[in-house]
């Protein structure tokens, strides 16, 4: 983890020079990648519907840590940027990933007169326009082997990636794992990666999970505060960060371990991602901070002592790991990957609409809409942008449900203006038994002239009305980016229901766009 003395994040690194490097590794047979079949229903946030994550063996994670320690010992005692121990660490991780069937790339950059490396590993399949990244920095400081900081995060995500391969996971989202270089020099590797993506490639990344120091000896259980619910520090992450936080908190709640929020203070590799509006989250067990008496009561350990007494020191070796914290956090990583990557448990489709044909959605069903432009319609949307993407093409196929499909002469030509626009589905007859789940893709985009009065809302209307999604605006640019959500609608079993969608530009004039696609109701 980056030391507080260093600047929080860099959005430009003029000194970096790009090349792509294929590093020498021992040749090994590649495992056959899993077959990619028909599209599967997404279920972000629906932990009760996704395939159960496997238990990650803490012994296997510690075996990787032992190898990283051996690499450091053989290379001057560290695995730091520009030192041979770092390159050997990259080769070690890459060898395991190549053998497991990942597609790996090593991206090189220059900082401080030395060459650094990012290792990127893509798992075959999943929606290329909905990429979930899982990252950890692989470098240490020059003082020591960096086994907790950050061999722990690197080894835990490596073993999670290998579990993806062993189980043949076929996720709805595309999975990409990353091991960042030169984090200890100021988030150099991750910043280089993000800054050198094209706008289109950046827009494809819809979430970044960051794991930096997950085995601290005097551990705390911190989760990045995606919704700023603790009300302090750097504020919330980009839209979607709260979902990541919630999923991770759900895991720890399920094993009876309390968590506390930790701020997005820019000290780790989520920094360049949230700076570009990409949702982020992850876990952290503490660095040089001191555990309070209240925290010791909450989690055990020693009050008045540092979470990691060997932070950035020579004693950060394999003896500097809390096995229980490492085990819990490794399992939390797998849980987050399996849940957020939306590998759904089997379910029987009840009703679906990808909007490729007209199925009878009714605009302005109550004749009370006030919007003067940007009314909901089923259409082929034209992509628009104004500094950030404001309207996207359909998530799948050619059509979606969108506020003003035409691109128009400018980004603001067909956006929602003047109030509320609504649209309602045809009647949907739900079965009377089983668990019924509604899922759909959506986005709300706006510029920094928006406010909390602007929103996208989705409700299910039957004998009662249930709001299943509300996204409100803020006075900041929010790029259009497809997300997927789901909700249990079993309370409506046996009823005829309709889905009611509305969006609003309800305050001062602002650029607001919204869309819905791939609506699905399943029974399980």
């Amino acid at each position: 983890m980056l030391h507080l003395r260093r600047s929080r994040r860099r959005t430009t690194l003029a000194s970096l020079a790009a090349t792509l490097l294929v590093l020498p590794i021992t040749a090994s047979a590649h495992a056959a990648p899993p077959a990619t079949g028909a599209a599967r229903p997404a279920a972000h946030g629906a932990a009760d519907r996704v395939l159960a994550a496997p238990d990650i063996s803490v012994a296997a994670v510690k075996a990787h840590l032992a190898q990283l320690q051996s690499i450091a010992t053989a290379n001057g005692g560290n695995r730091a940027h520009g030192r041979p121990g770092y390159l050997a660490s990259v080769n070690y991780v890459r060898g395991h990933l190549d053998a497991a069937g990942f597609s790996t790339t090593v991206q090189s950059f220059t900082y401080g007169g030395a060459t650094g490396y990012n290792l990127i590993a893509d798992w075959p399949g999943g929606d290329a326009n909905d990429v979930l990244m899982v990252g950890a920095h692989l470098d240490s400081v020059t003082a020591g082997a960096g086994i907790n900081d950050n061999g722990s995060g690197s080894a835990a995500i490596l073993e999670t990636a290998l579990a993806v391969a062993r189980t043949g996971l076929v996720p709805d989202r595309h999975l990409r794992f990353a091991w960042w270089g030169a984090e200890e020099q100021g988030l150099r590797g991750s910043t280089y990666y993000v800054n050198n993506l094209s706008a289109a490639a950046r827009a494809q990344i819809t979430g970044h999970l960051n794991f930096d120091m997950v085995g601290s000896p005097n551990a705390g259980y911190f989760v990045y505060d995606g919704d700023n619910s603790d009300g302090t520090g750097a504020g919330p992450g980009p839209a979607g960060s709260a979902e990541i936080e919630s999923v991770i908190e759900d895991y720890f709640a399920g094993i009876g371990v309390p968590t506390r929020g930790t701020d997005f203070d820019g000290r780790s590799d989520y920094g360049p991602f949230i700076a570009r509006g990409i949702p982020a989250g992850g876990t952290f067990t503490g660095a040089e901070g001191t555990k309070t008496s209240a925290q010791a009561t909450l989690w055990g350990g020693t009050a008045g002592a540092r979470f990691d007494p060997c932070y950035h020191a020579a004693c950060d070796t394999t003896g500097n790991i809390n096995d229980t914290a490492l085990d819990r956090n490794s399992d939390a990583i797998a849980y987050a990957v399996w849940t957020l990557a939306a590998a759904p448990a089997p379910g029987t489709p009840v009703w679906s609409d990808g909007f490729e044909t007209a199925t009878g959605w009714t605009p302005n069903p109550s004749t009370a809409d006030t919007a003067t432009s940007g009314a909901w319609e089923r259409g082929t949307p034209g992509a628009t942008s104004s500094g950030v993407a404001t309207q996207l093409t359909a998530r799948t196929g050619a059509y979606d449900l969108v506020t003003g499909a035409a691109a128009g002469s400018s980004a603001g030509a067909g956006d929602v203006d003047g109030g509320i626009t609504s649209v309602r589905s045809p009647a949907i007859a739900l079965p009377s038994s089983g668990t019924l789940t509604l899922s759909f893709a959506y986005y709300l985009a706006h510029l920094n002239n928006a406010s909390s009065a602007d929103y996208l809302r989705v409700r299910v209307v039957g004998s009662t009305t249930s709001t299943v999604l509300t996204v409100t605006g803020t006075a900041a640019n929010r790029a259009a980016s497809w997300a997927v959500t789901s909700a249990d609608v079993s309370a409506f079993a046996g009823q005829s229901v309709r889905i009611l969608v509305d969006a609003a530009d309800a305050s001062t004039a602002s650029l607001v766009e919204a869309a819905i696609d791939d609506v699905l109701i399943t029974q399980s």
Side-chain angles (χ1 to χ4, degrees):
M1 172 164 279
L2 184 68
H3 195 280
L4 277 170
R5 286 199 306 263
R6 304 189 192 280
S7 60
R8 288 187 169 184
R9 65 179 71 97
R10 278 49 167 196
T11 55
T12 60
L13 295 177
S15 63
L16 297 180
T19 60
L20 286 178
L21 177 68
V22 177
L23 298 180
I25 60 172
T26 303
S28 57
H30 286 212
T36 52
R40 301 170 63 130
H44 296 200
D48 57 333
R49 293 187 58 246
V50 300
L51 296 173
D55 178 69
I56 301 299
S57 164
V58 70
V61 177
K62 291 187 68 179
H64 296 311
L65 293 180
Q67 290 299 313
L68 294 177
Q69 177 70 66
S70 295
I71 288 169
T73 301
N75 289 279
N78 66 67
R79 301 178 302 100
H81 167 70
R83 307 295 179 92
Y86 181 72
L87 184 57
S89 299
V90 171
N91 281 330
Y92 171 77
V93 175
R94 190 186 190 196
H96 280 281
L97 296 165
D98 282 345
F102 281 83
S103 176
T104 61
T105 302
V106 175
Q107 181 186 50
S108 68
F109 57 91
T110 301
Y111 177 71
T115 302
Y117 308 101
N118 294 324
L119 172 60
I120 311 298
D122 286 88
W123 182 240
D127 185 350
N129 291 312
D130 190 4
V131 178
L132 178 65
M133 291 197 70
V134 185
H137 78 86
L138 186 55
D139 63 312
S140 73
V141 293
T142 56
I147 296 304
N148 187 39
D149 185 15
N150 181 40
S152 61
S154 293
I157 73 166
L158 171 59
E159 194 56 31
T160 299
L162 297 180
V164 167
R166 283 193 296 268
T167 60
L169 183 67
V170 184
D172 184 63
R173 298 168 85 175
H174 181 75
L175 279 176
R176 180 176 299 154
F177 290 81
W179 287 261
W180 306 116
E183 187 269 359
E184 300 290 5
Q185 307 299 314
L187 317 185
R188 301 293 174 168
S190 57
T191 301
Y192 180 79
Y193 174 80
V194 173
N195 285 356
N196 283 275
L197 292 169
S198 67
R202 253 193 321 268
Q204 291 172 330
I205 301 172
T206 55
H208 178 264
L209 306 181
N210 184 77
F211 300 98
D212 188 352
M213 302 181 67
V214 296
S216 300
N218 193 26
Y221 292 88
F222 298 102
V223 179
Y224 290 116
D225 192 17
D227 60 0
N228 200 33
S229 57
D230 68 1
T232 64
S241 301
E243 179 191 15
I244 297 172
E245 178 188 12
S246 177
V247 166
I248 296 173
E249 287 175 338
D250 284 349
Y251 170 77
F252 283 106
I255 63 170
V257 175
T259 58
R260 292 294 182 265
T262 187
D263 291 321
F264 284 121
D265 58 8
R267 290 186 61 189
S268 194
D269 291 299
Y270 54 76
F273 290 87
I274 64 175
R276 295 286 188 153
I278 296 170
T283 64
F284 171 53
T285 55
E288 79 280 26
T290 300
K291 181 176 278 187
T292 66
S293 296
Q295 289 169 334
T297 300
L298 191 68
W299 295 316
T302 305
R306 295 199 300 176
F307 291 101
D308 183 355
C310 292
Y311 175 70
H312 284 191
C315 58
D316 188 7
T317 65
T318 50
N320 191 46
I321 290 290
N322 180 320
D323 287 3
T324 299
L326 183 66
D327 189 15
R328 289 169 173 172
N329 278 275
S330 297
D331 287 337
I333 293 168
Y335 180 90
V337 169
W338 258 254
T339 303
L340 290 164
T348 303
V350 171
W351 187 87
S352 64
D353 198 343
F355 302 102
E356 297 308 296
T357 59
T359 57
W361 288 72
T362 304
N364 192 15
S366 62
T367 66
D369 287 3
T370 56
T372 56
S373 70
W376 283 105
E377 62 178 313
R378 170 188 166 267
T380 302
T384 62
S385 64
S386 181
V388 296
T390 52
Q391 184 163 284
L392 305 176
T393 56
R395 182 173 183 264
T396 57
Y399 291 82
D400 64 13
L401 200 62
V402 63
T403 54
S409 58
S410 66
D415 72 311
V416 182
D417 283 324
I420 299 172
T421 175
S422 61
V423 64
R424 188 181 65 194
S425 75
I428 304 165
L430 297 180
S432 58
S433 62
T435 299
L436 304 177
T437 303
L438 165 66
S439 65
F440 54 90
Y442 70 93
Y443 65 79
L444 174 70
H446 55 69
L447 299 186
N448 58 12
N449 55 0
S451 76
S452 59
D454 305 323
Y455 64 83
L456 167 67
R457 180 173 58 186
V458 179
R459 290 173 286 176
V460 176
V461 181
S463 61
T464 59
T465 298
S466 175
T467 300
V468 296
L469 175 75
T470 301
V471 183
T472 56
T474 59
N477 290 341
R478 173 187 276 152
S481 178
W482 285 110
V484 180
T485 191
S486 64
D488 188 330
V489 293
S490 302
F492 294 94
Q495 298 182 31
S496 176
V497 301
R498 297 178 188 268
I499 301 168
L500 179 62
V501 182
D502 51 350
D505 176 6
S507 183
T508 57
S510 53
L511 196 158
V512 176
E513 297 276 15
I516 300 287
D517 205 353
D518 298 331
V519 182
L520 175 69
I521 299 175
T522 60
Q523 179 190 40
S524 58

